[in-house]
Amino acid sequence: MAMKHGAVRGAQGTQSRHTVRNVIITIVVVVLVVVATGGAIGYHWYKKLYAQAMQVKALEQDAVSLMSKGDAASNEDYLAKIEANLPKAQQDTAQAKQIVHGSDWNRAAKLPRVGGDIVAVQTLADVADSLISDVVPQFGTVVTGLKSASLTTADGNLNLQPISDASQQMSAVNTTLQQQIAALDAVKEPVIDKIRTQYDAAVSKMRSLAEQLNGLSALMVTLPSFAGASGTRTYAILAQTTSEARSTGGLVGSMGSMTMTNGVISVGDFYGDVQWPRGAGSADVTDEQDVLFNQKTYGLYHQEGAQLLYGVNVHNMTANPNFPDVAQQANDFWKAASFGGNGADCDGVVSLDPYALQQLIAVSGDVTMPDGRVLNGTNTAQFLLHDVYNEVAVSQQDLYFGAVAAQVVKNVFSDMNVSKLMQLADVLLDAAKGNHVYMWSFHSEDQQSLRDAGLTGELGTDSTKPELGVYMQQMNPSKLDWYTSRNATLTKSGDGTYHVHYTFTNTLTSNDGQASYITGNGIAQGVSVESIYLYPPAGGTISNVSLSSSETADSIDSTAIDGRTVWTFQAIIRLGTSVSVDFDVQCAQGSQALTLRQTPSGNGEFNVDYQY
């Protein structure tokens, strides 16, 4: 079954309740399919099971109705409806659970072939009851507690104590939900096709909810220490420009800082890339990194002086797809600058691109620039990734981006309330999935929580959860990645093997009307020149790499880095044309389905088609 991959959006509370509803709907469908296969168990027994199945169906459908948003005008209204209807929904799911664990169902669970599918139904009923009886009420308690507390101090700063208190309760909610996931993992997959399809869909929804709640819990756990509850913290802030691609997002146009002391935030100045000391990161560049990011990454026709100079220029630190390494580079530059750390390390690094800023602005409020321009939750990304280069003087462009980032950071943490807190958490988790935001702390006690929230941007190291990486560097000094469309199709070709077809398209058909800062100059004007890295999953390999373009077919190469063999090639994508790459991926034996992590696109697209 083909599955389109996209970011999950919407309020966390709404998503959790929709997942509960969908799991219950799945139980109804699965129950009906199970009893429909009951010819082998005897007519009278089948008739009795069927009657009970109809009773379960009615109970679960009533629970669905009670948990549905219906005509609730807002999330607040929906939460009120849930609170009013929850006792009756709990009665319904508890009674349904009791029925499917009755003697007739337990007998059926011991039958050959369909017995395992009966167990799957019983487990789903248990999960639905736990969601209604435990997870939803506990989550409601956390939200109610935060609503009754003041998250803002008298002078408008962030009050960390209520968040710290709520994080413990949120961890308990998360533990309950993760236990339900473990119960589902322990169930043997159903053998009947219709049951398996519905069961897999329910488990997928449960995993999505578990991942989201795990991230939310992790954010609440780490926020107090990250915000300086135990002492002042100083973070470097990277402003990435994804219309000029680098592995983790884009070229770093400027870098600034913020200091946090027990919830009091101050944002420092942002400095353009040319102001940071050259060569400050060179000492932390390994030999393998030098080979991949410098020697094997070059411009059109290998022209002289077109290497990235990773470790030398601050704007190219993001060529490394492993964000903790990027953070170390950022700290090197920060420490070396007299206007930065001036010999002192920072406590961590935060990276934002224009899409992350746009999402944050939608929650924290519009930003008015010194020239009167207003950036909001719909126009920020396009302006910062494209329009600014046609409308703002070159000398002011990078600092313009920094000014936006500075205002957004201030707005995000001021005048906090529970609604804003939940929306911000949802935005951060969503943006992290698309690699639009990263956070790394040099304090080891913060790292696991940030990792659980999906914010650390680390390369996957778990061979049981294989993650393919496709990363790119725009080697034509330009902003052409705004016009670069990317599409990936992953097809399962065997046990742990996959075929990948990845296409890059230059949607710009003419340079007319575009500033040269966008299109580039000379022979490469309008030509997107991408140096591509193909990272195999942990414990896996890549093979049979081929390009559709004969112009750069001889650029295919490979090199070792951090225990992996990474394939590289150059894609020269001329005006209105496409270049495709095909390759095979072998994952570790017994691993889960392969996923793709990639450089976020310059235009916000996220076109990945999993054909399994």
Side-chain angles (χ1 to χ4, degrees), residues 236-240 246 250-256 271-281 308-319 326 329-334 337 339 398:
I237 305 177
L238 309 184
Q240 293 200 52
R246 297 293 184 267
L251 176 144
V252 177
S254 59
M255 183 162 72
Y271 295 88
D273 56 345
V274 297
Q275 296 176 272
W276 294 90
R278 271 177 67 87
L308 283 177
L309 299 180
Y310 176 75
V312 176
N313 296 329
V314 71
H315 59 255
N316 288 327
M317 68 174 84
T318 45
V326 175
Q329 286 277 309
N331 182 60
D332 291 341
F333 284 97
W334 167 262
F339 52 81
D398 290 334

Side-chain angles (χ1 to χ4, degrees), residues 526-549:
V527 180
S528 185
V529 183
E530 306 277 9
S531 279
I532 311 296
Y533 308 150
L534 305 178
Y535 272 65
T541 58
I542 289 173
S543 60
N544 302 322
V545 181
S546 64
L547 291 175
S548 64
S549 171

Side-chain angles (χ1 to χ4, degrees), residues 97-144:
K97 174 183 175 180
Q98 182 179 16
I99 291 172
V100 299
H101 282 283
S103 58
D104 292 312
W105 289 81
N106 289 335
R107 283 177 61 198
K110 297 176 182 178
L111 289 172
R113 181 171 167 76
V114 298
D117 293 10
I118 293 288
V119 171
V121 174
Q122 292 174 322
T123 304
L124 279 175
D126 294 345
V127 169
D129 186 56
S130 177
L131 287 172
I132 295 292
S133 300
D134 297 326
V135 175
V136 172
Q138 288 183 63
F139 185 79
T141 299
V142 173
V143 173
T144 300

Side-chain angles (χ1 to χ4, degrees), residues 249-273:
L251 176 144
V252 177
S254 59
M255 183 162 72
S257 64
M258 69 175 176
T259 299
M260 309 180 80
T261 305
N262 198 29
V264 179
I265 294 100
S266 61
V267 180
D269 292 332
F270 277 69
Y271 295 88
D273 56 345

Side-chain angles (χ1 to χ4, degrees), residues 27-41:
I27 294 172
V28 173
V29 175
V30 172
V31 164
L32 294 178
V33 175
V34 168
V35 298
T37 63
I41 64 178

Side-chain angles (χ1 to χ4, degrees), residues 138-158:
Q138 288 183 63
F139 185 79
T141 299
V142 173
V143 173
T144 300
L146 287 171
K147 280 184 175 180
S148 63
S150 175
L151 301 185
T152 303
T153 62
D155 51 2
N157 293 308
L158 184 62

